[in-house]
Structures are given as C-alpha cells and as structure tokens.
Amino acid sequence: MTFRNDFEKTEARAERRGGGGRTIALGGGGLGSIVLIGLYLLLGGDPGQLNQLTRGDSSQGAIEQSQTQDNCKTGEDANNSVDCRIEFTGISLDRVWQDQLANQAGIEYTRPKIVLFSGGTSTGCGTASSSTGPFYCPADETAYFDATFFDTLAQMGGGSGPLAQEYVVAHEFGHHIQKLEGTLGRIDYNNPGPESDAVKLELQADCYAGIWAHYADEGPDRILEPLSDEQVSDALETTRAIGDDTIQKHNGGDIQPDLWTHGSSEDRMNSFLAGYKSGQMAQCDTLDRGVYR
Ligand SMILES: [Zn+2]
C-alpha cells in the first residue's frame, strides 16, 4: 500500500483506450513507428529485443471492454489496481512538480497527458503496442502506459511492489520535465554509449523520479502514505533490472557499453537515489547546465 485510502480524485486524470474498436492492430508497417518511439523507451535497446522480452502479442487478443470504464476513484483503488496506481501516481507527480519545477528551475509546470492503453494505440510519435513499453511522446506531451508491461518488468527481475511501478511513471514524467526545460529535443539517441547525452538524459529522468519520491509522502498535499525502506529498495531493484548491462546480460548477449542508451544498473540506481535523498534538481544536473536553485 502506498496511497492514502481516503484520498478521492476530483477529475479523471488518465485517458483509457482499449476495447470498443479504438485499438489498432499492428500491421507490417508498424516497425518504423516503433523505432521512432524507441527513442524514449524506458527499456532502451532495439525493438527486436523488446519483442523477445514480452510474451508475444497475446495481450492484443484479450482486450476487455471494462478497461474503458473509469473504476479509479480513491487511493484504495490505486492500492488495489495497477491502472489506478498509474493514474494516481500522475496526480501525485503533478502536485510535486507544480511546486518543485517553479521553485528549483523557475519554470511553470504544465501537466502531461496520461494514456492507459491495451493492445495498441496511435500516438503523436507513431503507433504503440504492448511490447513498446511505457514511453513519453514529446510531440503530444503524453505518457503512454500499458499495464501488462509490469508483468514483463517482474520477469526481468524488477520489483513488483507499488513503488517499483510508480517509479516507471515518475521516470516518464521526468522526460516531460525535460521537455519543459527544453533539453529533451536536443538529444541524439542515435549516438549511444555510456558517456552519451542519451544516457545522461535517461539518468536525469531516473533522478527526477527520485525527486518525486522524496516529496511525494511529505506535506499537507501528500496523497501517499510514508514510503517504507522496503518500498524504496523495491524501486531500486527495478532501476537495477533495467540497466543496459543487465538487459544485455538478460538477453544472453555480451555487455556492449557502446550500445547503451539508458545507463548501467549501478548508474541508474545511484541516479534515483541522488534525487530521492536530496530532492534537488541540482543533484540531477547530468547535462551540467548549472541553472538550478
Ligand atoms: Zn526514459
């Protein structure tokens, strides 16, 4: 449990897509769009690897009509359902960044959209499927999630606790913060490597996720219960599982740092911790901009 059971949302924060004919089957032309989206993938690596990590496209055949309904009303719902947890994490992220982005970077926060989809959906960055993984699309300022990803994450050795999942949402919001800062579009993901700007940007998104966790259970505005050490180590376990070196090992290949786009397991854990312990954007300044208060 992480959310306060008594918290009630006042508006729908996430758009739900799936069932009802809005789902798009991925055709042969889908690959190009996936590569495009792959720039902002949480997992990194090429789409072929991603497809190996997921269990085929079985989720496409199991779309339930009920997923278009909004059954997420209270914190208790968020404690019981992954879909609701993603949405409520978004609400918590809005509250933290509303204050912190203005205080620390002098930038006005605007909310990204959140789309929960099932099977596949079209986005401002091309067509997404369940195997794409969670991602942020800067063109439509939207974070996209298919909850089945969290099963994949657990198979890869990531934590399955609530904060592990919330970290993934917070990481994608981290890319939205970068969009607002004007840094996201400047990065070339086609030049990977441990010292690449792509890795610096991804580690910063992990650090920003840590900043959210730092503030999320504090103050009168908080909608989370105090985080436990166990929950934090569960989130760290997830950052470890999605390090480039660990993913390369998981896929049975050699560790090839020159292909890294997201950073090593150790760097990802340390980045999340740097944000979590300090709550300071200045501690996440991987691009050496020196603009934070
Ligand atoms: Zn990312």
Side-chain angles (χ1 to χ4, degrees):
M1 181 175 93
T2 47
F3 286 92
R4 291 168 49 183
N5 279 330
D6 61 350
F7 174 73
E8 291 178 33
K9 76 176 181 188
T10 54
E11 58 172 325
R13 180 64 181 88
E15 180 190 336
R16 291 168 170 76
R17 296 182 193 168
R22 275 204 279 176
T23 299
I24 300 154
L26 273 181
L31 192 60
S33 343
I34 292 172
V35 173
L36 186 70
I37 291 162
L39 303 183
Y40 300 101
L41 280 180
L42 177 68
L43 290 174
D46 66 60
Q49 286 179 337
L50 277 174
N51 287 326
Q52 285 168 22
L53 291 169
T54 54
R55 288 165 296 182
D57 280 333
S58 57
S59 58
Q60 283 196 18
I63 297 157
E64 289 165 22
Q65 194 68 39
S66 64
Q67 283 172 311
T68 53
Q69 292 171 5
D70 183 358
N71 296 319
C72 308
K73 311 276 189 230
T74 67
E76 189 174 9
D77 297 331
N79 290 327
N80 293 326
S81 132
V82 176
D83 272 4
C84 302
R85 188 170 299 141
I86 292 168
E87 177 176 19
F88 276 62
T89 303
I91 296 171
S92 175
L93 279 154
D94 289 338
R95 293 179 176 216
V96 167
W97 284 116
Q98 189 75 46
D99 292 339
Q100 299 308 323
L101 191 62
N103 292 346
Q104 298 192 36
I107 295 170
E108 189 190 344
Y109 177 74
T110 55
R111 308 191 311 181
K113 282 201 288 187
I114 301 170
V115 169
L116 305 175
F117 72 94
S118 167
T121 192
S122 64
T123 82
C125 295
T127 305
S129 76
S130 298
S131 58
T132 311
F135 66 97
Y136 172 74
C137 172
D140 56 12
E141 297 197 347
T142 303
Y144 291 89
F145 301 94
D146 181 323
T148 59
F149 167 76
F150 294 112
D151 300 335
T152 309
L153 194 59
Q155 284 169 11
M156 293 165 61
S160 52
L163 193 65
Q165 299 171 348
E166 291 153 16
Y167 148 73
V168 172
V169 182
H171 174 99
E172 299 309 337
F173 267 60
H175 288 313
H176 177 64
I177 298 299
Q178 291 165 339
K179 167 85 195 300
L180 297 178
E181 291 187 272
T183 52
L184 189 59
R186 301 212 307 252
I187 302 302
D188 179 7
Y189 274 74
N190 293 316
N191 276 314
E195 307 297 326
S196 66
D197 283 346
V199 166
K200 288 175 185 167
L201 210 69
E202 291 299 335
L203 293 178
Q204 185 180 56
D206 285 337
C207 192
Y208 285 176
I211 288 183
W212 163 76
H214 177 95
Y215 293 104
D217 63 352
E218 287 182 353
D221 246 12
R222 69 182 175 88
I223 61 175
L224 260 68
E225 299 283 2
L227 297 175
S228 68
D229 290 347
E230 192 187 345
Q231 287 165 345
V232 173
S233 36
D234 201 42
L236 281 172
E237 200 48 40
T238 296
T239 63
R240 193 196 60 73
I242 55 180
D244 285 321
D245 48 346
T246 303
I247 290 177
Q248 286 175 340
K249 255 189 289 185
H250 183 94
N251 288 342
D254 295 332
I255 294 176
Q256 297 174 277
D258 53 326
L259 297 178
W260 291 0
T261 53
H262 283 64
S264 69
S265 292
E266 192 182 355
D267 284 348
R268 298 199 74 165
M269 286 200 291
N270 287 337
S271 297
F272 178 83
L273 270 181
Y276 177 63
K277 286 181 174 163
S278 69
Q280 296 300 312
M281 294 178 80
Q283 298 298 316
C284 306
D285 193 10
T286 54
L287 299 170
D288 285 326
R289 298 174 67 230
V291 297
Y292 304 106
R293 299 168 189 158

